[in-house]
Amino acid sequence: MHIKLRLFFLPVLLIPSFLPAQNVEIGLRGGLNIGATEYVDRKNEFKDVAAMEGVAIAVPVLIHLKKGFALQSEFSYVQKGNSFYKVWPDETGAALNINRTNFVLNYLEALFLAKWSFGAPKLGIDLLAGPSFGFGLNGYYAYGDRKTFTVHIDPFSFHQAGIRTPDANLNFGVGVHAGHIFVDARYQVGLIDIATDNQIARRIYHSGVNLNIGALFPMDKKRN
């Protein structure tokens, strides 16, 4: 698996090394992924499916190609999934008194975004669009018992949950930059059904909204 991961994300890490330093910026972004993964289970046990908030952290690399246009590749960790109501049994088989259950999937992603910038470097608007490719790590169900005020975490592998590890998405976003700092909002839509043919899920497509804040710094200090 480690070899596959290195080969999968190698282009994101190597691209900047072939370019002049004055054309490249590198930074960090973090934010919230509001996932609305479409999960259709075969037994119809999941009720009132809604969005789930997860963590999104990335290292962006911005490559300036010409004035107002750049390519932004990112290496990202992101939590996807959704939330729903489901009755879970306790250790004795009795039903727990459940609030909501979060269905959480942990991913590493490589994003390749075209970026159009309008305005001045000190203040302007950005538009982003491009694909992303993910590699699933693991997942878990998180749910709480109202009677005991305890939180239960049930981990699972992608194979156990009937989910394929590779994923592909399209991303569209708009943001604002002020000097080195930027904020943006992105919408991600899944391109492939990641459910395998099993008894748990019939169909799983990722979608969601990403809210981010971050900073980019030139690799050539003369551009600061």
Side-chain angles (χ1 to χ4, degrees), residues 1-9 135 137:
M1 178 181 291
H2 295 295
I3 295 176
K4 290 181 179 179
L5 284 173
R6 289 170 187 166
L7 292 175
F8 188 77
F9 295 106
F135 188 90
L137 301 175

Short mmCIF file of all heavy atoms in Angstrom, two decimals, residues 1-9 135 137:
data_model
loop_
_atom_site.label_atom_id
_atom_site.label_comp_id
_atom_site.label_asym_id
_atom_site.label_seq_id
_atom_site.Cartn_x
_atom_site.Cartn_y
_atom_site.Cartn_z
N MET A 1 0.83 -1.21 0.00
CA MET A 1 0.00 0.00 0.00
C MET A 1 0.86 1.26 0.00
O MET A 1 0.54 2.25 -0.65
CB MET A 1 -0.94 0.00 1.21
CG MET A 1 -1.80 1.27 1.31
SD MET A 1 -2.87 1.30 2.74
CE MET A 1 -4.04 0.02 2.33
N HIS A 2 2.00 1.24 0.76
CA HIS A 2 2.84 2.43 0.83
C HIS A 2 3.41 2.78 -0.54
O HIS A 2 3.53 3.95 -0.90
CB HIS A 2 3.96 2.20 1.84
CG HIS A 2 3.47 2.04 3.25
ND1 HIS A 2 2.85 3.06 3.92
CD2 HIS A 2 3.50 0.98 4.09
CE1 HIS A 2 2.52 2.65 5.14
NE2 HIS A 2 2.91 1.39 5.26
N ILE A 3 3.79 1.76 -1.32
CA ILE A 3 4.32 2.00 -2.66
C ILE A 3 3.25 2.62 -3.55
O ILE A 3 3.50 3.56 -4.31
CB ILE A 3 4.85 0.69 -3.27
CG1 ILE A 3 6.06 0.19 -2.47
CG2 ILE A 3 5.25 0.90 -4.74
CD1 ILE A 3 6.60 -1.13 -2.93
N LYS A 4 2.02 2.12 -3.47
CA LYS A 4 0.92 2.67 -4.26
C LYS A 4 0.68 4.13 -3.91
O LYS A 4 0.44 4.96 -4.79
CB LYS A 4 -0.36 1.85 -4.03
CG LYS A 4 -0.32 0.45 -4.62
CD LYS A 4 -1.63 -0.25 -4.37
CE LYS A 4 -1.64 -1.64 -4.98
NZ LYS A 4 -2.91 -2.35 -4.71
N LEU A 5 0.71 4.46 -2.62
CA LEU A 5 0.47 5.83 -2.20
C LEU A 5 1.56 6.76 -2.73
O LEU A 5 1.28 7.87 -3.18
CB LEU A 5 0.42 5.91 -0.67
CG LEU A 5 -0.86 5.42 -0.01
CD1 LEU A 5 -0.70 5.41 1.49
CD2 LEU A 5 -2.04 6.29 -0.41
N ARG A 6 2.82 6.32 -2.68
CA ARG A 6 3.91 7.16 -3.18
C ARG A 6 3.77 7.43 -4.66
O ARG A 6 3.96 8.55 -5.13
CB ARG A 6 5.24 6.48 -2.88
CG ARG A 6 5.61 6.48 -1.39
CD ARG A 6 6.80 5.60 -1.13
NE ARG A 6 7.06 5.46 0.28
CZ ARG A 6 7.85 4.54 0.82
NH1 ARG A 6 8.47 3.69 0.02
NH2 ARG A 6 8.03 4.48 2.12
N LEU A 7 3.45 6.40 -5.43
CA LEU A 7 3.27 6.58 -6.87
C LEU A 7 2.06 7.45 -7.17
O LEU A 7 2.07 8.23 -8.11
CB LEU A 7 3.11 5.21 -7.54
CG LEU A 7 4.36 4.32 -7.53
CD1 LEU A 7 4.02 2.95 -8.11
CD2 LEU A 7 5.49 4.97 -8.31
N PHE A 8 1.01 7.33 -6.35
CA PHE A 8 -0.23 8.06 -6.58
C PHE A 8 -0.01 9.56 -6.43
O PHE A 8 -0.53 10.36 -7.22
CB PHE A 8 -1.27 7.57 -5.57
CG PHE A 8 -2.65 8.11 -5.81
CD1 PHE A 8 -3.45 7.60 -6.82
CD2 PHE A 8 -3.15 9.13 -5.03
CE1 PHE A 8 -4.72 8.09 -7.04
CE2 PHE A 8 -4.42 9.63 -5.25
CZ PHE A 8 -5.21 9.10 -6.25
N PHE A 9 0.76 9.97 -5.42
CA PHE A 9 0.92 11.39 -5.14
C PHE A 9 2.26 11.95 -5.60
O PHE A 9 2.55 13.12 -5.38
CB PHE A 9 0.77 11.64 -3.62
CG PHE A 9 -0.60 11.35 -3.11
CD1 PHE A 9 -0.85 10.21 -2.37
CD2 PHE A 9 -1.65 12.20 -3.39
CE1 PHE A 9 -2.13 9.93 -1.91
CE2 PHE A 9 -2.93 11.93 -2.93
CZ PHE A 9 -3.16 10.79 -2.20
N PHE A 135 -7.49 8.40 -2.35
CA PHE A 135 -7.14 7.05 -1.94
C PHE A 135 -7.67 6.86 -0.52
O PHE A 135 -7.25 7.55 0.40
CB PHE A 135 -5.63 6.83 -1.99
CG PHE A 135 -5.22 5.40 -1.75
CD1 PHE A 135 -5.11 4.51 -2.81
CD2 PHE A 135 -4.97 4.95 -0.47
CE1 PHE A 135 -4.74 3.19 -2.58
CE2 PHE A 135 -4.60 3.64 -0.23
CZ PHE A 135 -4.49 2.75 -1.29
N LEU A 137 -8.32 5.52 3.17
CA LEU A 137 -7.49 4.93 4.21
C LEU A 137 -8.29 3.98 5.10
O LEU A 137 -7.99 2.81 5.22
CB LEU A 137 -6.86 6.04 5.07
CG LEU A 137 -5.98 7.04 4.32
CD1 LEU A 137 -5.53 8.14 5.27
CD2 LEU A 137 -4.78 6.34 3.71
#
